Amino acid sequence: MTTPPIQWYPGHIAKAEKQLLENLKLVDVVIEVRDARILKSSQHPKIEKWVESKSHILVCNRIDAIPAIAKTQWLRQFSDQGRTVYFTDAQAGKGIVDLLKAAQAAGEKVNERRRGRGMLPRPVRAVVVGFPNVGKSALINRLLNKRVVASANRPGVTRQLRWIRISDQIELLDTPGVIPPLLYDQDAAMKLAICDDIGQAAYDNVLVAAAAVDLLVELNVKLSDRYEIEPHQVTSGIEYIHKVAALNKFQGDLDKVARLILHDFRRGRLGAIALEMPELAMAP
Ligand SMILES: Nc1nc2c(ncn2[C@@H]2O[C@H](COP(=O)(O)OP(=O)(O)OP(=O)(O)O)[C@@H](O)[C@H]2O)c(=O)[nH]1
Ligand SMILES: [Mg+2]
C-alpha cells in the first residue's frame, strides 16, 4: 500500500495568500515565524520572494518545546550564517521585548529614508507570516499584552488579514497561516502534520503517529513509560501503534492510540523535543 501524499490547500489559504501578496507592497518589515521543533520544515519556500528588499525578522517560536541544547545549536548555526534570530515563547511571553525592539529598529530605518526624501515619518508596518498554528496571532497578542486577535490550538484559526496598531511606532498585520499549494517535500509535510501545523483533513492520524513514533525512537525518547510497550519489541512505528492498541484499554482502536500519541507530543508530555537539528549538529 502506498501512503497518500499529504496536501492541504483549502480555499481560505488560497485567498489569504492572494491578499498577502496584495498587502506586501504596503509593508516595510516581514516577521517570519517558524516552529522551533521543525525549523527547517516550517520555512515557507516563498519567504525570500515575499521579503525582497524589505527588512526580514526571523522568529523561532515555541522555544519552550525544544531542549536548551537544540536552541544553542540553532543559534550557532544562524549566527554562522550571519543571521539574527529571535527565540520566543508566545504562550508565556518570553523573548517578546527583544522582538518588539527589532521591529522598531527596522522602522527607524524606514523613517530615516522617508526623512531623506522629505517625507513625514509614519509607523512601521510589519506583516507576521508563517505556516498555520506556529503562534503568529499569539505573538501579536503578547506584543500588545492583550487578546486582540483570535489564537487557538489548531491550524486555520486566523481567516482574515487584520492590521493591529501596537504603538505610535508600529503596526502589525496578522495573516492566516499559509502553506504551499503543493507540498513536494513529503518528509517536511509529515513533520508539519506531527506538529499540528497543517489541517487535519490533510492526513491520516495513524500514519502520522506512526511516523512520529519512528522519529521519537530515533531520538531516544522513552515511550514505554506512557504506552507500556517498549519500542525495541517492534520494528516500526506502525507496528508499535498496533501493539499499543492491542492493550485491553484501547480495544484495538488504532485511531485512539494515534491521537493520544500525537496529543502527548504536541502538548509536550513526552518532554522538550526538537524534531530537526542543524545539519552539522547531526554529524557524529
Ligand atoms: N507552548 C507554546 N504554545 C504556543 C506558543 N505560541 C503559541 N502557542 C499556542 O499555539 C496555539 C496556536 O497559536 P496561534 O497564535 O493561534 O497560531 P497562528 O500561527 O496564529 O495560527 P493560524 O492563525 O491558524 O495560522 C495557541 O493555542 C497558542 O496558545 C509557544 O511559544 N509555546
Ligand atoms: Mg492566527
Side-chain angles (χ1 to χ4, degrees), residues 229-256:
I229 308 290
E230 283 285 353
H232 65 70
Q233 293 173 8
V234 298
T235 56
S236 66
I238 191 74
E239 204 186 321
Y240 188 77
I241 290 180
H242 277 267
K243 205 139 185 166
V244 176
L247 294 169
N248 260 347
K249 61 181 168 190
F250 293 113
Q251 306 264 317
D253 190 338
L254 297 177
D255 193 59
K256 191 168 177 187

Side-chain angles (χ1 to χ4, degrees), residues 61-62 64 89-91 133-138 151-152 156-158 177:
N61 190 42
R62 295 189 183 275
D64 54 307
D89 170 351
Q91 198 164 57
N133 211 30
V134 294
K136 300 176 296 301
S137 301
S151 161
V157 170
T158 304

Side-chain angles (χ1 to χ4, degrees), residues 48-264:
E48 299 302 334
K49 202 161 175 256
W50 295 334
V51 171
E52 275 184 322
S53 58
K54 298 181 250 308
S55 297
H56 182 187
I57 296 177
L58 176 58
V59 178
C60 305
N61 190 42
R62 295 189 183 275
I63 193 63
D64 54 307
I66 67 167
I69 177 80
K71 177 184 168 185
T72 308
Q73 288 178 353
W74 276 114
L75 192 59
R76 194 174 306 145
Q77 156 120 348
F78 285 119
S79 60
D80 284 353
Q81 294 167 351
R83 296 203 64 176
T84 308
V85 281
Y86 295 87
F87 290 99
T88 56
D89 170 351
Q91 198 164 57
K94 292 195 182 137
I96 305 295
V97 175
D98 287 346
L99 171 60
L100 191 58
K101 279 191 201 146
Q104 266 161 353
E108 275 157 27
K109 270 195 223 139
V110 171
N111 280 320
E112 260 167 43
R113 276 203 302 271
R114 285 178 69 85
R115 262 193 295 275
R117 288 191 229 127
M119 295 157 91
L120 286 175
R122 60 155 173 76
V124 60
R125 299 189 196 118
V127 64
V128 184
V129 294
F131 275 88
N133 211 30
V134 294
K136 300 176 296 301
S137 301
L139 269 178
I140 292 179
N141 289 338
R142 276 290 174 185
L143 285 165
L144 255 187
N145 247 333
K146 70 181 174 211
R147 204 181 148 82
V148 275
V149 286
S151 161
N153 223 344
R154 72 195 133 81
V157 170
T158 304
R159 292 294 173 122
Q160 311 275 343
L161 279 78
R162 193 168 145 208
W163 282 102
I164 313 290
R165 180 172 265 248
I166 302 286
S167 67
D168 289 345
Q169 284 126 43
I170 180 157
E171 284 170 10
L172 289 186
L173 180 59
D174 190 17
T175 64
V178 278
I179 280 192
L182 275 174
L183 294 164
Y184 294 106
D185 182 347
Q186 283 291 303
D187 179 56
M190 187 58 91
K191 289 181 185 150
L192 288 165
I194 292 171
C195 293
D196 205 13
D197 294 343
I198 184 169
Q200 278 188 16
Y203 57 86
D204 178 78
N205 280 324
V206 176
L207 296 176
V208 171
V213 170
D214 286 330
L215 281 172
L216 295 170
V217 170
E218 237 173 77
L219 294 168
N220 287 321
V221 176
K222 201 154 168 46
L223 297 175
S224 54
D225 288 352
R226 263 190 111 70
Y227 313 115
E228 296 177 35
I229 308 290
E230 283 285 353
H232 65 70
Q233 293 173 8
V234 298
T235 56
S236 66
I238 191 74
E239 204 186 321
Y240 188 77
I241 290 180
H242 277 267
K243 205 139 185 166
V244 176
L247 294 169
N248 260 347
K249 61 181 168 190
F250 293 113
Q251 306 264 317
D253 190 338
L254 297 177
D255 193 59
K256 191 168 177 187
V257 172
R259 279 186 285 116
L260 175 69
I261 293 174
L262 290 173
H263 185 263
D264 284 349

